[in-house]
């Protein structure tokens, strides 16, 4: 395995050994573990959090606030990493993410938690925008990079394997606050390895550097308007607010296009979007993010709120989904470079994801747990065949000059899709749940008691359920029957949301055809410099040069 040249002031002229490369990758792996564990444990704990802190209307915002701030930060720090090197920003991101995790654990209301998650999203966006782009800096050749990414994939898989079960066990036995404190020891380990072993690889620059803050603000404003539009659209009496948010979003994105097309050093180089294959990858990343985050956040709600499982049992059931993301990623890394047309893996991945989404629409409380596991395994395999390939293909097509920002945009579009998925599925679930509950109980119980069931928190709080059943028994009514009716309403509502996810995944299959076949074999045995030249072909020259010491 070829040694790696580095360029930081203490490493100039030195070549990283396999040991140093390994420790650098371990540091990055702890970073990705921290982000992965956070995604899985929060989803498992969220029904319990809502039951304790109240405020089901903010259920989706716990995820979308994180994603919104992350989306804004990813391209900013992807670009800053291209300009100044990525190591300082990785270190800063670990500190911010760890501190925000502690604030999440100390939150005493849903609004405090939403705000703390927004701060955590800033750290997460910094990490995604910089840490993922460190790997092609360290390993320019795709064949070498894929071998080293096994460590990355294994770390992600380990986090995913323990995340749901850990989240369920901690929530059940220790309390939901502990799921956020798990990030602290992992962040300390990552900080030590990154500080000591990750080289600071700077990029040569010509002329003065200007960061496109105007573009960043327009992205923030546009995405905020889009988020509010999705939230207000299904809400009764909020049509005017939805229209204003929609118009504001259109204006902000039009202004963003106008500004970026005239900016000397744009945050989003528009020439990337003129490449059909790269634009298709950005679109696929958005659609995949929609499905990924909708499944991660609403399948736990289905299992706990709809099926009545404890957090611990729900964690065990959902674990195969995230475990097989890693299994498929590792298998993918072994066979991808051997395929004449690597793009075929995207077709297989989305086909499996379609099977999984269709299965989630039909499972109910009487479905065997083995069938549930099989449905989730198919989803994990599908995601594992798609997630890493979008990044590898995008980096190859974009070339060295746009490597950082292309990686950042791929991660950003996935988060945008996740933000939309959380908001749209959340709105659908809220609307259909209330409608189903009203239809089912309106003729059988007083309106005041029916109103209690319209709040989904009842399904996650055992103490409230016992109180509800006892009070209805005093009226001569079977409260447990109404609880079961509400659970059925929750299942139907989430099924409606999963239909939307299925349609988005089906649409993704048609986008795959736009991507030109990516040749990952052509660089085998060639020098990094040749890789850089060949992978940059067809793309306009950017403002960043090759990393010092890469050649």
């Amino acid at each position: 395995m070829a040694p790696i040249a580095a360029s930081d002031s203490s490493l100039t002229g030195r070549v990283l050994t396999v040991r140093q490369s390994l420790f650098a990758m371990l540091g990055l792996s702890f970073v990705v573990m921290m982000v992965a564990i956070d995604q899985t444990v929060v989803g498992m704990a969220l029904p319990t959090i809502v039951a304790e802190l109240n405020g089901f209307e903010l259920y989706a915002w716990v995820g979308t606030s994180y994603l919104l701030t992350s989306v804004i930060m990813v391209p900013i720090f992807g670009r800053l990493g291209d300009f100044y090197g990525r190591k300082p920003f990785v270190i800063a991101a670990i500190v911010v993410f760890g501190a925000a995790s502690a604030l999440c654990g100390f939150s005493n209301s849903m609004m405090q938690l939403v705000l703390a998650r927004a701060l955590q999203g800033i750290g997460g966006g910094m990490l995604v925008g910089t840490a993922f782009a460190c790997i092609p800096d360290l390993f320019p050749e795709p064949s070498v990079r894929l071998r080293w990414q096994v460590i990355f994939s294994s770390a992600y898989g380990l986090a995913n394997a323990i995340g749901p079960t850990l989240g369920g066990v901690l929530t059940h036995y220790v309390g939901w606050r502990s799921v956020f404190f798990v990030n602290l020891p992992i962040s300390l380990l990552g900080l030590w390895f990154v500080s000591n072993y990750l080289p600071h690889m700077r990029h040569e620059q010509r002329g003065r550097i200007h960061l496109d803050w105007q573009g960043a603000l327009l992205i923030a404003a546009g995405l905020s308007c889009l988020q509010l539009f999705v939230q207000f659209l299904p809400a009764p009496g909020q049509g005017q607010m939805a229209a204003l948010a929609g118009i504001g979003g259109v204006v902000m994105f039009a202004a963003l296009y106008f500004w970026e097309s005239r900016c000397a050093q744009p945050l989003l180089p528009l020439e990337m979007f003129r490449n059909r294959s790269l634009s298709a990858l950005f679109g696929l990343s958005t659609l995949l993010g929609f499905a990924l985050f909708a499944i991660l956040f609403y399948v736990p709600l289905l299992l706990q709120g709809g099926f009545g499982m404890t957090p611990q049992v729900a964690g065990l059931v959902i674990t195969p989904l995230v475990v097989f993301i890693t299994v498929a990623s590792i298998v993918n890394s072994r066979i991808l470079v051997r395929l004449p047309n690597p793009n075929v893996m995207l077709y297989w991945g989305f086909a499996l994801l379609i099977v999984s989404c269709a299965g989630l629409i039909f499972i109910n409380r009487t479905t065997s747990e083995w069938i549930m596991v099989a449905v989730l395994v198919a989803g994990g395999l599908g995601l594992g065949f798609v997630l890493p390939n979008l990044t590898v293909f995008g980096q190859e097509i974009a070339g060295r000059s746009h490597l950082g920002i292309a990686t950042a945009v791929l991660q950003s579009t996935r988060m945008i899709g996740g933000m939309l998925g959380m908001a749209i599925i959340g709105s659908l679930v809220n609307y259909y749940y209330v409608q189903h509950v009203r239809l089912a109980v309106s003729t059988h119980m007083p309106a005041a008691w029916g109103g209690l069931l319209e709040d989904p928190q009842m399904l996650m709080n055992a103490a409230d359920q016992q109180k509800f059943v006892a009070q209805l028994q005093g009226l001569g009514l079977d409260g447990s029957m109404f609880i079961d009716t509400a659970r059925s309403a929750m299942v139907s509502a989430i099924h409606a949301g999963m239909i939307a996810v299925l349609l988005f995944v089906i649409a993704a299959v048609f986008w795959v055809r736009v991507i030109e076949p990516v040749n990952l074999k052509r660089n085998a045995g060639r020098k990094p410099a040749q890789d850089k030249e060949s992978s940059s072909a067809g793309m306009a020259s950017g403002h960043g040069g090759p990393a010092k010491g890469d050649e």
Side-chain angles (χ1 to χ4, degrees):
M1 199 167 293
I4 304 155
S7 64
D8 100 354
S9 56
S10 64
L11 294 171
T12 302
R14 283 179 57 189
V15 174
L16 292 184
T17 63
V18 171
R19 176 178 177 274
Q20 291 167 325
S21 302
L22 176 62
F23 286 162
M25 285 296 292
L26 282 176
L28 295 175
S29 296
F30 280 119
V31 168
V32 77
M33 283 182 67
M34 183 169 61
V35 175
I37 284 181
D38 182 79
Q39 288 178 348
T40 51
V41 299
V42 171
M44 291 306 307
L46 195 49
T48 303
I49 294 173
V50 172
E52 181 174 324
L53 298 183
N54 299 321
F56 186 83
E57 67 277 4
L58 294 176
Y59 184 95
W61 277 98
V62 175
T64 54
S65 62
Y66 177 96
L67 292 171
L68 180 60
T69 53
S70 292
V71 166
I72 297 165
M73 292 297 110
V74 167
I76 291 174
F77 284 92
R79 200 47 142 170
L80 286 172
D82 284 343
F83 288 156
Y84 300 110
R86 311 189 202 283
K87 180 176 179 177
F89 301 114
V90 175
I91 292 174
I94 295 172
V95 173
V96 172
F97 194 93
S101 298
L103 291 177
C104 289
F106 288 121
S107 297
N108 292 315
S109 70
M110 283 293 284
M111 183 54 68
Q112 288 181 13
L113 179 60
V114 167
L115 294 175
R117 286 283 287 170
L119 179 61
Q120 194 180 31
I122 293 175
M126 293 169 65
L127 283 172
V128 171
T130 53
F132 283 87
C134 287
I135 298 177
D137 276 348
L138 293 171
F139 313 104
E141 291 189 53
S143 56
V144 176
R145 188 189 316 153
L146 283 169
R147 289 198 296 269
W148 277 99
Q149 273 188 316
V150 171
I151 298 176
F152 216 53
S153 299
S154 299
Y156 187 80
L158 177 62
N160 281 334
I162 66 174
T165 303
L166 179 65
V169 169
L170 288 176
T171 301
H172 190 76
Y173 292 105
V174 184
W176 63 265
R177 298 179 189 277
S178 59
V179 303
F180 293 104
F181 296 131
V182 167
N183 291 329
L184 300 183
I186 303 175
S187 65
L188 291 174
L189 282 170
L191 188 63
W192 187 82
F193 276 101
V194 168
S195 300
N196 288 284
Y197 294 103
L198 182 67
H200 185 185
M201 305 182 77
R202 300 186 183 95
H203 292 250
E204 295 175 349
Q205 302 295 333
R206 297 178 180 86
R208 193 174 177 183
I209 295 171
H210 297 278
L211 186 62
D212 181 17
W213 290 109
Q214 294 90 336
L217 291 174
L218 288 171
I219 291 173
L223 291 176
S224 297
C225 289
L226 183 61
Q227 172 71 17
L228 292 173
F229 172 75
V230 173
Q231 294 288 134
F232 285 134
L233 190 61
Q238 297 293 337
Q240 185 177 4
M241 294 299 295
L244 289 174
I247 293 171
V250 171
V251 170
M252 290 299 106
F253 286 123
L256 176 65
Y257 177 82
F258 178 83
W259 173 258
E260 295 295 270
S261 62
R262 288 159 178 78
C263 183
Q265 295 182 347
L267 187 64
L268 297 175
L270 295 182
E271 63 263 26
M272 289 196 310
F273 295 88
R274 298 188 184 106
N275 184 303
R276 291 180 72 247
S277 294
L278 203 52
S279 295
L281 286 170
F282 295 153
L284 286 173
S285 183
T286 304
L287 295 173
L288 187 68
F290 187 103
L292 172 64
F293 285 95
I295 290 171
L296 284 178
F297 276 82
Y298 282 96
V299 169
L301 181 61
L302 175 68
L303 298 178
Q304 295 179 54
F307 297 168
M309 295 181 182
T310 65
Q312 183 181 11
V313 174
L316 290 172
V317 172
I318 205 172
T319 293
L321 168 72
V322 288
V323 167
F324 277 86
I325 293 177
T326 305
V327 171
S329 297
I330 294 173
V331 171
N332 174 81
S333 68
R334 303 300 299 174
I335 67 176
L336 191 66
V337 293
R338 296 179 172 87
L339 295 175
N341 180 10
N343 297 35
V344 72
M345 296 301 295
L346 296 179
Y347 285 107
W348 278 105
F350 281 116
L352 286 166
L353 201 52
I354 287 172
V355 171
S356 180
C357 290
L360 288 172
I361 293 171
F362 291 103
I363 63 173
N364 52 51
R365 283 185 288 174
T366 62
T367 302
S368 164
E369 289 187 1
W370 288 107
I371 296 178
M372 294 183 194
V373 168
V375 167
L376 294 173
V377 165
L381 290 172
L383 290 167
F385 286 153
V386 175
L387 278 168
N389 290 335
L390 294 182
T391 302
V392 172
F393 293 177
Q395 290 169 347
E396 276 300 287
I397 294 170
R400 298 289 297 168
S401 61
H402 289 90
L403 187 148
I405 190 60
T407 303
V409 172
L410 281 166
Q411 304 299 328
S412 293
T413 49
R414 189 172 73 194
M415 291 179 181
I416 290 171
M419 187 184 75
L420 293 176
M422 291 283 294
I424 292 174
I425 304 305
S427 298
L428 287 173
V429 168
N430 286 342
Y431 176 79
Y432 281 107
Y433 174 76
V434 172
Q435 295 302 313
H436 284 135
V437 168
R438 287 178 180 174
L439 182 64
V441 306
S442 59
T443 59
H444 300 287
M445 66 188 306
W449 294 102
L452 290 177
L453 283 181
E454 291 177 14
D455 186 350
Q457 292 172 191
M458 177 71 72
L459 303 181
M460 275 77 74
N461 193 316
D464 286 348
Q465 291 173 29
Q466 293 172 0
K467 183 178 178 181
F468 178 82
V469 170
Q471 289 173 329
L472 283 187
Q473 281 179 342
L475 300 175
L477 297 173
D478 185 359
S480 59
M481 181 188 73
F482 289 112
I483 294 290
D484 287 340
T485 300
R487 291 198 187 280
S488 297
M490 175 61 73
V491 172
S492 298
I494 295 177
H495 283 171
M498 287 299 129
I499 291 173
V501 175
L502 176 62
L503 294 176
F504 272 71
V505 176
I506 292 173
V509 175
F510 295 94
W511 281 55
V512 176
R513 297 187 303 169
V514 180
I515 304 171
E516 296 181 0
V518 177
N519 185 1
L520 299 177
K521 292 183 177 181
R522 70 181 189 277
N523 297 315
R526 299 174 65 179
K527 294 180 181 179
Q530 292 171 305
D531 175 54
K532 177 202 69 170
E533 292 168 2
S534 59
S535 63
S536 298
M539 291 296 298
S541 177
H543 301 287
K548 294 179 182 179
D550 277 351
E551 300 180 355

